[in-house]
Amino acid sequence: MTMESPLAIEVVTLFPEVVRTALGMGVIGRALERGLVRVGTEDPRAHTHDVHRSVDDRPYGGGPGMVMTVEPLATAIAAAAARLPAGSPRIYVSAQGRRFDQSAARRLAGLSGFLLLAGRYEGVDERLIAESIDEEWSIGDYVLSGGELAALVMIDATVRLLPGVLGDAESAVQESFAAEAGRLDWPHFTRPEVWRGRQVPAELMSGDHAAIRRWRLKQSLGRTFERRPDLLGTKQLNSEEQRLLDEYREERKL
Ligand code: ADE
């Protein structure tokens, strides 16, 4: 059997310890320990040469805030990229990027490596993006104080898709199937069977696998209809899906 080489990720950040600490726990921590993924960091401050080790400066044209300067970032990115397989995309995480979603995570999980640049302050000098960045991604329509949390979100969503990372491979397959199919997950229950008078749905207790599958699909479609109709807007439902969604709406008078 040939051992696949681990996915290689590099994060260029002023807060490498934040990134490393956050990745140390849970599913992703275990994947790192088991060598299924490798995450390196590069601090632009280590690439400064002035006494203040400055990485930012005032914006041309004036206005509030500071902009990250080109040179420490360019050399930090080059140092990090040199540890990655050739052709690994260099990704800037910013609120101006394309929206990151499950299919973007799926694509990253299929690469041999990628680099994430986490910005701070008002952002980075645009010429650095032109020179050293291949793609720009946002995790949502809100503004974070820096790219580190966004980079961590992207790493988490990606690494859990790697083969062998989740103990029960099924759970990744089913959840991400739902996400990629443009619908929400169904409700989950565990023991006890009754809690504060609330029963677990009878279908889940039936042992009838076909009935369970139908119930879950129906809940998944119904929740998506109620909470995220935008996701269903673009989807063509098959006849079973349409019937289950109609039943759900009928039952709830929606
Ligand atoms: N940096 C600041 N805001 C961000 C966002 N929404 N997504 C990615 N990076 C960011």
Side-chain angles (χ1 to χ4, degrees):
M1 203 180 84
T2 56
M3 189 65 185
E4 268 193 72
S5 46
L7 172 63
I9 304 174
E10 289 287 335
V11 186
V12 175
T13 168
L14 291 169
F15 299 97
E17 67 291 350
V18 169
V19 170
R20 281 196 295 264
T21 305
L23 294 174
M25 57 203 155
V27 165
I28 310 303
R30 204 155 11 98
L32 283 162
E33 273 168 29
R34 292 165 56 207
L36 300 171
V37 60
R38 182 171 77 56
V39 180
T41 55
E42 191 70 30
D43 186 347
R45 217 176 282 284
H47 296 267
T48 57
H49 305 289
D50 62 314
V51 283
H52 302 295
R53 310 185 79 196
S54 58
V55 292
D56 61 337
D57 206 339
R58 295 195 312 268
Y60 280 120
M66 299 290 271
V67 176
M68 293 184 81
T69 50
V70 285
E71 204 46 43
L73 285 178
T75 51
I77 289 171
R83 294 191 290 267
L84 294 174
S88 300
R90 298 160 298 177
I91 300 165
Y92 176 40
V93 295
S94 94
Q96 282 69 51
R98 282 179 57 195
R99 181 80 71 82
F100 185 74
D101 62 9
Q102 190 67 25
S103 66
R106 174 77 58 196
R107 170 183 157 254
L108 291 182
L111 300 177
S112 51
F114 58 88
L115 179 150
L116 298 173
L117 166 61
R120 283 267 149 186
Y121 315 111
E122 292 306 303
V124 309
D125 188 305
E126 194 67 21
R127 293 166 296 180
L128 183 277
I129 300 175
E131 185 74 16
S132 306
I133 292 297
D134 304 305
E135 302 174 13
E136 196 166 339
W137 289 92
S138 164
I139 62 161
D141 292 337
Y142 38 78
V143 180
L144 302 168
S145 320
E148 283 75 16
L149 290 173
L152 288 166
V153 164
M154 291 171 61
I155 292 170
D156 187 290
T158 299
V159 170
R160 62 196 299 289
L161 296 177
L162 297 174
V165 166
L166 292 188
D168 180 358
E170 265 294 273
S171 62
V173 170
Q174 292 190 347
E175 277 168 35
S176 57
F177 175 78
E180 273 158 54
R183 60 176 106 96
L184 306 182
D185 199 9
W186 51 72
H188 302 276
F189 299 87
T190 185
R191 292 191 296 178
E193 200 177 319
V194 184
W195 182 73
R196 297 192 180 172
R198 295 168 187 270
Q199 280 274 356
V200 173
E203 290 86 344
L204 298 180
M205 311 298 295
S206 68
D208 176 346
H209 292 292
I212 292 169
R213 189 193 70 83
R214 273 196 308 275
W215 183 87
R216 287 179 166 163
L217 179 55
K218 181 168 154 181
Q219 299 302 315
S220 173
L221 290 162
R223 285 187 149 191
T224 309
F225 176 82
E226 284 185 281
R227 302 179 186 186
R228 292 291 307 279
D230 58 302
L231 294 178
L232 285 181
T234 59
K235 285 309 286 186
Q236 187 63 41
L237 300 184
N238 66 32
S239 58
E240 183 195 28
E241 290 168 340
Q242 191 59 60
R243 183 163 35 76
L244 289 169
L245 178 56
D246 290 344
E247 277 178 33
Y248 185 97
R249 294 178 60 183
E250 188 88 356
E251 284 162 19
R252 308 207 178 201
K253 312 267 180 271
L254 292 169

